[in-house]
């Protein structure tokens, strides 16, 4: 089944304890992205990756790191989590992004989400 | 990226057609208009995408006027399960994605 998976789905941690949220897709998509969703603020993009070893900042990258060593994986790293990073996180992938074509599709496939609480 | 503006919320009844309009006055030539649906605590799900005129698929229609400064998502005969948040966004040849605040649709029996 084509899907985007995230782990863990739920995580409670303490301030300053490094953590990694994994994201994996089995659709051979080139584009992957991380979002966070907070009440009243909608979805905000953290980082995105156009392909292996190519990443760039979204709108809210502070306090996060990413890596794209393999096409299928795009982990989100919080080196020193703080309470303001308590949020619902979504990973997404897309077969095409950044290609302007009458037949291109910017459809993004989202994972199930990771609910992170930092105390 | 150009910003989109949608109504914050809408109410409807089962069986009615629902039209949600999105304004994007500063849409760029390369922008595609994309709509997503999101249920609570789930990731958004792609509904439909278009560039101009009208696009229809098995779940919705998307109407885009000639000036492309707005678009309307049309959901025919909604049911209770269509209660969700609907997002309109613009995708360009770039890589950033900006979701607006979305429209919360509440379908009543």
């Amino acid at each position: 089944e084509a899907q985007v998976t995230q782990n863990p789905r739920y995580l409670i941690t303490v301030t300053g304890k490094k953590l990694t949220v994994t994201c994996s897709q089995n659709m051979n998509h080139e584009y992957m992205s991380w979002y966070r969703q907070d009440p009243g603020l909608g979805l905000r993009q953290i980082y995105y990756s156009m392909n292996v070893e190519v990443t760039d900042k979204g709108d809210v990258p502070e306090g996060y790191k990413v890596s794209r060593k393999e096409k299928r994986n795009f982990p989100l790293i919080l080196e020193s989590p703080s309470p303001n990073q308590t949020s619902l996180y979504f990973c997404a992938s897309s077969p095409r992004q950044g290609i302007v074509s009458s037949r291109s599709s910017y459809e993004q496939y989202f994972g199930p989400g990771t609910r992170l609480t930092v105390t | 990226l150009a910003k989109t503006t949608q109504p914050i919320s809408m109410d409807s009844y089962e069986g009615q057609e629902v039209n949600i309009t999105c304004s994007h006055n500063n849409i760029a030539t390369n922008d595609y208009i994309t709509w997503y649906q999101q249920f609570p605590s789930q990731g958004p799900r792609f509904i439909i995408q278009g560039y101009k005129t009208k696009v229809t698929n098995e779940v919705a229609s998307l109407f885009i006027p000639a000036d492309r400064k707005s678009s309307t998502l049309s959901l025919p005969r909604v049911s209770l399960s269509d209660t969700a948040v609907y997002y309109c966004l613009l995708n360009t040849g770039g890589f950033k994605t900006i979701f607006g605040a979305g429209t919360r649709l509440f379908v009543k029996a």
Side-chain angles (χ1 to χ4, degrees):
Chain A
E1 178 190 355
Q3 60 183 345
V4 178
T5 57
Q6 297 179 225
N7 282 292
R9 295 289 313 280
Y10 302 90
L11 178 61
I12 300 174
T13 189
V14 297
T15 299
K17 186 177 181 181
K18 181 179 178 180
L19 66 92
T20 298
V21 184
T22 64
C23 174
S24 182
Q25 50 94 3
N26 61 0
M27 296 169 280
N28 200 35
H29 287 170
E30 292 184 351
Y31 178 91
M32 297 185 74
S33 182
W34 275 103
Y35 299 87
R36 61 177 287 174
Q37 186 168 34
D38 304 289
L41 296 177
L43 285 125
R44 294 180 291 168
Q45 192 175 38
I46 304 171
Y47 269 95
Y48 57 90
S49 170
M50 293 75 81
N51 214 324
V52 175
E53 302 291 3
V54 184
T55 63
D56 206 349
K57 297 176 181 178
D59 285 331
V60 288
E62 295 79 20
Y64 305 94
K65 286 175 58 177
V66 292
S67 69
R68 188 90 181 273
K69 292 183 169 53
E70 305 166 282
K71 197 171 187 179
R72 63 182 293 129
N73 296 321
F74 190 44
L76 179 70
I77 303 158
L78 284 72
E79 294 272 5
S80 183
S82 62
N84 64 12
Q85 293 178 298
T86 292
S87 186
L88 179 57
Y89 291 86
F90 290 103
C91 179
S93 71
S94 174
R96 289 173 175 269
Q97 196 80 358
I99 300 173
V100 178
S101 162
S102 61
R103 292 180 295 173
S104 67
S105 169
Y106 298 114
E107 176 179 355
Q108 293 188 41
Y109 297 79
F110 283 79
T114 295
R115 188 168 293 280
L116 171 66
T117 301
V118 183
T119 61
Chain B
L1 293 178
K3 184 180 175 182
T4 61
T5 303
Q6 307 170 231
I8 293 174
S9 66
M10 295 180 69
D11 288 344
S12 183
Y13 288 93
E14 281 191 295
Q16 289 189 333
E17 178 184 76
V18 171
N19 295 310
I20 306 174
T21 296
C22 178
S23 296
H24 27 79
N25 290 320
N26 296 320
I27 188 170
T29 303
N30 292 339
D31 283 343
Y32 280 72
I33 300 156
T34 310
W35 286 81
Y36 285 84
Q37 175 193 56
Q38 186 180 27
F39 298 112
S41 297
Q42 293 185 26
R45 186 179 69 168
F46 174 90
I47 302 175
I48 198 167
Q49 176 181 273
Y51 185 80
K52 60 181 178 181
T53 63
K54 177 184 174 182
V55 179
T56 297
N57 61 23
E58 63 276 8
V59 297
S61 295
L62 179 60
F63 299 92
I64 306 168
D67 65 5
R68 304 201 327 124
K69 293 185 183 299
S70 66
S71 59
T72 299
L73 173 73
S74 181
L75 304 171
R77 297 180 300 281
V78 294
S79 64
L80 296 176
S81 62
D82 292 316
T83 293
V85 179
Y86 292 83
Y87 295 96
C88 162
L89 56 149
L90 305 180
N91 293 97
T92 72
F95 304 95
K96 277 193 174 183
T97 304
I98 297 181
F99 281 80
T103 297
R104 189 173 300 275
L105 173 66
F106 186 69
V107 180
K108 297 180 257 191

